[in-house]
Amino acid sequence: MAQTQTIFIIDDQESVRSALAEMLSVFGYNVETFESADDFLGKLDGERSGCIVADVRMPGTDGIELTRELARRQVGLPVVLISGHGDVPMAVAAIKAGAEDFIEKPVDDIQLVAAINRGLSHTTERLAQSQSLQSLKERFGRLTRREAEVFDLVVQGFTSQGIGAQLDISPRTVESYRVQIMEKMQAESVAVLVRFAVRLGRITP
Amino acid sequence: MAQTQTIFIIDDQESVRSALAEMLSVFGYNVETFESADDFLGKLDGERSGCIVADVRMPGTDGIELTRELARRQVGLPVVLISGHGDVPMAVAAIKAGAEDFIEKPVDDIQLVAAINRGLSHTTERLAQSQSLQSLKERFGRLTRREAEVFDLVVQGFTSQGIGAQLDISPRTVESYRVQIMEKMQAESVAVLVRFAVRLGRITP
DNA sequence: AAAAAACTGCGTAATTTTACCCATGTATCG
DNA sequence: CGATACATGGGTAAAATTACGCAGTTTTTT
């Protein structure tokens, strides 16, 4: 259960990467470094757990954009942003984007470690959630167009008859789809299916 | 339905209050001023809607503490914080506390108005949402103990038989409760009931 | 204390959903 | 062209839900 936590250091400057990696290693963290956000995103496998420490200003995707992208992808990893020339509007944007903290250089080791630990304490749950969400999305993706249509109507509470009327097909056919849907989604009841739909954002709770 | 929106200006300096009030009045807002956060909190009646514009540094409760206090009390009013000597850590604390924005002096009118409007648009949604949630809670509150038990099991996907077995009562009886539950909750299908349950926080989506 | 309301429980019948089977036509892809 | 996936439709029987009615026991209200 206790998966290894890794600190992902993302900075375009080699000197900063190695300094941070050295420092965090001393504190006992398992560290990996990346020279750009895009490099990191490309190697993201969704299986890893830990905390990201990234510079705000970088060529390509910057730290704040990275944070937004991770949120958009519903990756549960917390992000601690570091800035050399940070100003208030940038800090506001960073936190609004969902960053765990925004730290100015020169970095205070204690402050950084504290931020990382705050992030790590939230990460495990979020990761588990995002993994199961990933699995859900895959299962939903296996539904055919028609099945997805029926799915949406089922979780809205329509009966097979009503769905058949709306799609102008036989209720029997709808029931065939329902069976397929329940199987593919691995839902043993409509109630579970509705919760899946909520998690998938296909209906608002 | 469309309630009057008010901008609540909170600043210990009279000159700032009047200047902001004057400026926002020109932009067509309905404005009220308070000379301290505690003054404002004392006069909060919970019926008002709008947006708070507060200075960060004030005698007594400061702007960030005010923001936290409002969050704690679950007041839906958005807060735009203004700071004369703002720094990055303060901005981080402000946004983490839930402030809509953190603006440095000298205040850019356009920026302030933009932040206020963002806040107001959130207020409206939150208000509508909290109202319908309120209604849901009331309806749920009308369920008897037994009905609430059955409710929880139904939205978890158990069948009447399964529920009867768990509660050690006849499946027929369970169905009686189901009818009552559907009526009281005003849900026309199990799917809708499950969504209600999610909104009520009785099940995790 | 009497009346009203609410909680709890069950039965029957009609409707709906599930669980198994199955077949046909179309489109797509190697 | 054959294999495969998709959309469509069906039958039957079991299981589940819904609708409607009824009754004893608590609790609340008047």
Side-chain angles (χ1 to χ4, degrees):
Chain A
M1 181 222 102
Q3 196 184 348
T4 306
Q5 305 273 47
T6 306
I7 309 302
F8 305 96
I9 297 173
I10 308 174
D11 197 307
D12 56 315
Q13 292 180 60
E14 211 287 318
S15 58
V16 175
R17 284 201 301 276
S18 54
L20 280 175
E22 169 65 19
M23 188 273 284
L24 291 173
S25 293
V26 170
F27 275 95
Y29 293 105
N30 187 21
V31 177
E32 285 182 31
T33 61
F34 302 83
E35 63 182 21
S36 78
D38 300 301
D39 180 25
F40 173 77
L41 286 171
K43 293 175 181 170
L44 223 191
D45 62 6
E47 300 295 305
R48 311 293 300 280
S49 175
C51 182
I52 295 165
V53 175
D55 198 341
V56 174
R57 183 183 305 186
M58 290 186 291
T61 304
D62 70 33
I64 293 179
E65 281 172 24
L66 169 65
T67 307
R68 293 202 189 99
E69 178 64 17
L70 292 171
R72 206 182 60 73
R73 296 191 191 183
Q74 293 177 286
V75 175
L77 294 176
V79 181
V80 175
L81 292 175
I82 293 177
S83 167
H85 322 276
D87 54 18
V88 166
M90 190 182 287
V92 170
I95 303 299
K96 279 192 174 182
E100 178 63 38
D101 207 345
F102 183 92
I103 298 176
E104 292 172 286
K105 288 180 188 171
V107 173
D108 171 18
D109 294 359
I110 307 294
Q111 194 188 350
L112 178 57
V113 169
I116 288 173
N117 286 337
R118 271 200 312 277
L120 289 179
S121 69
H122 299 307
T123 201
T124 308
E125 317 140 23
R126 277 187 293 193
L127 195 75
Q129 214 171 16
S130 86
Q131 278 177 345
S132 80
L133 182 63
Q134 194 59 33
S135 158
L136 259 189
K137 281 181 180 171
E138 279 170 23
R139 279 177 270 168
F140 183 77
R142 292 203 192 88
L143 298 184
T144 68
R145 230 176 290 116
R146 213 44 162 171
E147 285 165 354
E149 276 185 278
V150 174
F151 175 94
D152 284 337
L153 294 172
V154 168
V155 297
Q156 279 170 47
F158 291 103
T159 65
S160 295
Q161 275 197 10
I163 296 171
Q166 282 183 61
L167 299 181
D168 198 36
I169 56 181
S170 156
R172 317 313 305 277
T173 306
V174 175
E175 279 161 21
S176 303
Y177 290 136
R178 290 182 74 134
V179 173
Q180 289 299 111
I181 292 167
M182 298 303 273
E183 269 178 20
K184 289 187 179 177
M185 297 303 292
Q186 294 168 34
E188 59 284 350
S189 68
V190 180
V192 173
L193 200 69
V194 173
R195 300 205 300 209
F196 286 173
V198 172
R199 281 210 272 173
L200 287 168
R202 302 203 66 83
I203 53 177
T204 39
Chain B
M1 182 223 106
Q3 197 184 347
T4 307
Q5 305 272 45
T6 305
I7 311 301
F8 304 95
I9 297 173
I10 308 174
D11 198 304
D12 57 315
Q13 292 180 60
E14 209 287 320
S15 58
V16 175
R17 287 201 300 275
S18 55
L20 280 175
E22 169 65 20
M23 188 273 282
L24 291 172
S25 292
V26 170
F27 275 94
Y29 293 105
N30 187 21
V31 178
E32 283 179 33
T33 61
F34 301 82
E35 62 182 21
S36 79
D38 300 300
D39 180 25
F40 172 76
L41 286 171
K43 293 176 182 170
L44 226 190
D45 63 6
E47 298 295 304
R48 312 293 301 278
S49 175
C51 181
I52 296 165
V53 175
D55 198 342
V56 175
R57 181 182 307 184
M58 289 186 292
T61 305
D62 70 33
I64 294 179
E65 281 173 23
L66 169 65
T67 307
R68 293 203 189 98
E69 178 63 17
L70 291 170
R72 207 179 58 72
R73 297 192 191 182
Q74 291 180 296
V75 176
L77 294 175
V79 180
V80 176
L81 291 176
I82 294 177
S83 167
H85 322 275
D87 55 18
V88 166
M90 190 182 287
V92 170
I95 303 299
K96 278 192 174 182
E100 177 62 40
D101 207 346
F102 183 92
I103 299 176
E104 292 172 288
K105 289 182 187 174
V107 174
D108 172 17
D109 293 359
I110 307 293
Q111 195 188 350
L112 177 57
V113 169
I116 288 173
N117 287 335
R118 273 200 311 278
L120 290 179
S121 69
H122 293 170
T123 289
T124 309
E125 304 157 20
R126 272 186 293 193
L127 197 73
Q129 213 171 17
S130 81
Q131 277 175 348
S132 81
L133 183 61
Q134 194 58 35
S135 158
L136 260 189
K137 282 180 180 169
E138 279 169 23
R139 280 178 270 168
F140 183 77
R142 282 196 261 281
L143 297 184
T144 68
R145 232 174 286 118
R146 210 49 158 169
E147 284 166 355
E149 273 184 282
V150 174
F151 176 95
D152 285 337
L153 295 172
V154 167
V155 298
Q156 279 171 45
F158 291 103
T159 66
S160 294
Q161 274 199 9
I163 297 171
Q166 284 184 60
L167 300 182
D168 198 37
I169 55 181
S170 158
R172 315 285 179 281
T173 303
V174 174
E175 280 158 20
S176 302
Y177 290 133
R178 290 182 73 133
V179 173
Q180 288 300 108
I181 291 167
M182 299 303 273
E183 271 178 20
K184 289 188 180 178
M185 297 302 292
Q186 294 168 34
E188 60 284 349
S189 69
V190 179
V192 173
L193 200 69
V194 173
R195 299 204 301 205
F196 285 172
V198 172
R199 281 210 271 170
L200 287 168
R202 302 204 67 84
I203 52 177
T204 40

